[in-house]
Amino acid sequence: MKADKVGSAFILFRSEYWSRDRLVRCASYLFALIAWEVTGYVVGPLFLAGPTQVVIALREVVLSGELLLALMVSLQAFAVGFAAAMASAIPLGMLMGRFESVERFFEPYIAAFFVTPVSALIPMIIIWFGIGIEARVVVVFSFCFFDIVINTFNGVRDVRYELVEPVRSLGATQRQIFMKVILPAAAPFVMSGIRLGLGRAIRGMVIAELLLATTGLGGMIVTYSAVFRTDVIFAVLVVIVMLGVGSVRLIKAMESRLFPWKETSTIRGGFEGSARTAPAPAEG
Amino acid sequence: MGSKILVRNISKTFVRKGDGDEESAVEALKDVSFEVADQEFVCIVGPSGCGKTTLLRIIDGLIPADAGEILIDGQAVGAPAQDRGMVFQTFGLLPWRTVAGNVAIGLEIAGMESVKQKPIVQRWIDVVGLAGFERYYPHELSGGMQQRVGLARVLAIDPVVILMDEPFGALDAQTREFMQEELLRIWNQEKKTVIFITHSIDEAIYLADRVVVMSARPGRIAEILRVGIPRPRWDHDVRGTKEFAELRAHIWKELRKDGHGVVAPPGD
């Protein structure tokens, strides 16, 4: 994308920056903001605060330090839960992909838990873990664990035969095949598992704060809804959305950095960031 | 010239499990024996399903034979090792490795220090004509160039025998002829023993010292023919000679006896 290269505000004044795709995107944002503002004005701030009021409320909670404090509390449970999920789900997924007996052993539970709405387990989590940080960590963990397991498992299991065979033909040991073929071939799948898991972990984080002890960002939503401060509620929601979108973007950027070899020949062709496939040079 | 490779009474049957308890067996190879001399170029032609790929995989050690043995320099061979190198029809390059990385993999597996790998890798990249493309990824290369990498990867481990499983089968006709010529040049320089599988009669005659003709169900050797066309073959129109035409007609007739006709007609 051109903007990254130039990195200057003056880019906004260049005509080539305003491609058709960008214009459509901007028009979409503009439309949403205007609709939101008008609706807020019509129904009143008790039901829906408009964007301008949300910005003012955001400034308020940032300056008072309340938002930062809530954010730290939320991120604590999130970080521990997500790290624990990665540390256990990636090895488990790999073992399942590599050894059929391990897959047989765990598959039914993974399948069952994957379709179970974790929110429905929250009463049990309260009974077992209380409503403190431990319980919130468990909720975050159970929200994202299965996405990471399943993606890692698929990545390892579906490594193409045509990739393994030539390396085996060169006399590689099982260990070398795993390290030099299976691991790098599965890495992009593990990464997309992490990306999907991250989104779910953030959802889990907020849900835990809504349904367990009212604390963190979710706690702010509960507290301010009791006093009908829709402006603050939306300010917190904006923060949560930015957190999610920002971290997913970060991982996507890491993915294209780590896996430059990934062919990006999708049916969408020109979708943003996918115009990377260089034309094959002519023979000879 | 003593015999380098001895293929002795190789048989292989694949058992396929059906839905229930029923098992169906396919006899892929039946009592296949032949010899390959040192530095000889042998092509195996045969219809689809005659077991030629299976035979090559057994020689490489990727799958075991049910009966018989493979001797190289008098030694029985088992699991894949670096005395044999195989070039695959689907290239089999690792997409996350660059050209240089793909050529180096055999050396890495052998445990060679990376400082020592570099000159060897560069040498073979130069030999196959890919100098300047060291840092390209496979998906940035054309099919012909990818197979050059596949060949360099095998040459880098300096094998005694090179096994090629329809290596140019996925390439277009023009690239294919160009690659055949290149292969002969490299073979002429390096003096390796080559077993080359193809379903194209023309390709077999153009490349080989001898052509092994196989027939299907069960896979067995129908005939072994010597190609007397003088080398080098790239400096004159080999395909237009009388001997070429006669050999082609003969092999075609031999393959037609099989009744299946599932083989590329002359001129492919």
Side-chain angles (χ1 to χ4, degrees), chain B residues 211-215 220-225 250-251 254 257:
Chain B
V211 177
V212 175
V213 183
M214 288 184 72
S215 58
R220 60 196 184 281
I221 292 176
E223 196 178 8
I224 299 178
L225 293 157
H250 183 93
I251 296 171
E254 184 64 42
K257 269 191 212 160

Side-chain angles (χ1 to χ4, degrees), chain B residues 28-194:
Chain B
L29 293 169
K30 189 177 182 181
D31 201 23
V32 171
S33 299
F34 65 96
E35 289 176 32
V36 181
D38 191 23
Q39 300 180 9
E40 194 182 15
F41 201 125
V42 167
C43 283
I44 302 177
V45 283
S48 313
C50 75
K52 50 194 195 294
T53 294
T54 304
L55 179 62
L56 206 68
R57 286 162 57 81
I58 290 172
I59 298 173
D60 194 43
L62 288 168
I63 49 170
D66 294 338
E69 59 180 348
I70 310 284
L71 301 175
I72 293 181
D73 289 324
Q75 298 275 318
V77 298
Q82 298 207 340
D83 58 340
R84 289 150 284 157
M86 187 145 159
V87 179
F88 295 80
Q89 182 178 9
T90 50
F91 317 141
L93 304 180
L94 300 176
W96 53 87
R97 283 182 174 240
T98 60
V99 168
N102 270 290
V103 176
I105 188 153
L107 304 173
E108 266 179 54
I109 287 167
M112 185 186 280
E113 294 167 56
S114 63
V115 194
K116 287 187 184 165
Q117 292 173 16
K118 282 209 176 109
I120 301 174
V121 168
Q122 192 58 53
R123 178 180 166 216
W124 293 112
I125 288 176
D126 293 346
V127 167
V128 299
L130 285 178
F133 291 99
E134 291 83 357
R135 302 178 72 144
Y136 278 60
Y137 287 99
H139 78 268
E140 298 171 311
L141 303 176
S142 67
M145 293 169 94
Q146 290 190 45
Q147 194 57 294
R148 286 161 191 267
V149 180
L151 185 60
R153 170 176 65 185
V154 159
L155 288 166
I157 61 168
D158 194 23
V160 182
V161 177
I162 298 181
L163 307 168
M164 307 185 83
D165 184 12
E166 298 201 36
F168 308 145
L171 307 179
D172 63 82
Q174 266 179 332
T175 308
R176 192 169 178 159
E177 284 196 13
F178 193 68
M179 291 291 287
Q180 289 166 0
E181 203 181 301
E182 285 278 298
L183 177 64
L184 282 187
R185 278 179 205 278
I186 293 167
W187 172 74
N188 192 48
Q189 264 169 31
E190 304 303 324
K191 293 295 175 197
K192 300 277 183 196
T193 308
V194 179

Side-chain angles (χ1 to χ4, degrees), chain B residues 207-264:
Chain B
L207 294 172
D209 292 319
R210 284 188 301 149
V211 177
V212 175
V213 183
M214 288 184 72
S215 58
R217 278 167 276 265
R220 60 196 184 281
I221 292 176
E223 196 178 8
I224 299 178
L225 293 157
R226 182 161 292 282
V227 181
I229 302 169
R231 294 184 189 273
R233 292 184 186 157
W234 56 77
D235 57 358
H236 62 291
D237 181 22
V238 170
R239 293 178 180 86
T241 61
K242 188 163 158 270
E243 187 170 6
F244 195 96
E246 282 170 3
L247 275 166
R248 177 204 273 163
H250 183 93
I251 296 171
W252 180 238
K253 217 174 87 192
E254 184 64 42
L255 288 168
R256 285 294 286 266
K257 269 191 212 160
D258 227 20
H260 304 291
V262 270
V263 67

Side-chain angles (χ1 to χ4, degrees), chain A residues 9-124:
Chain A
F10 292 112
I11 188 89
L12 293 174
F13 298 108
R14 296 197 180 177
S15 60
E16 70 262 25
Y17 178 79
W18 296 100
S19 66
R20 197 165 153 265
D21 293 355
R22 250 178 230 281
L23 279 172
V24 172
R25 191 61 76 84
C26 286
S28 159
Y29 291 152
L30 204 64
F31 175 79
L33 281 172
I34 291 170
W36 183 6
E37 185 75 52
V38 169
T39 317
Y41 185 78
V42 172
V43 300
L46 207 60
F47 291 102
L48 180 70
T52 46
Q53 286 160 311
V54 170
V55 171
I56 292 166
L58 190 61
R59 193 182 122 88
E60 187 188 308
V61 287
V62 168
L63 289 180
S64 71
E66 189 185 355
L67 183 75
L68 190 68
L69 196 71
L71 191 65
M72 296 315 279
V73 171
S74 291
L75 286 182
Q76 232 173 6
F78 166 79
V80 176
F82 189 58
M86 279 202 293
S88 51
I90 294 173
L92 179 63
M94 283 186 173
L95 287 171
M96 284 174 64
R98 193 92 181 90
F99 303 106
E100 219 182 322
S101 49
V102 180
E103 181 197 342
R104 287 257 157 85
F105 190 88
F106 285 104
E107 200 273 331
Y109 313 107
I110 304 275
F113 272 107
F114 187 63
V115 296
T116 307
V118 181
S119 324
L121 297 176
I122 283 182
M124 291 312 296

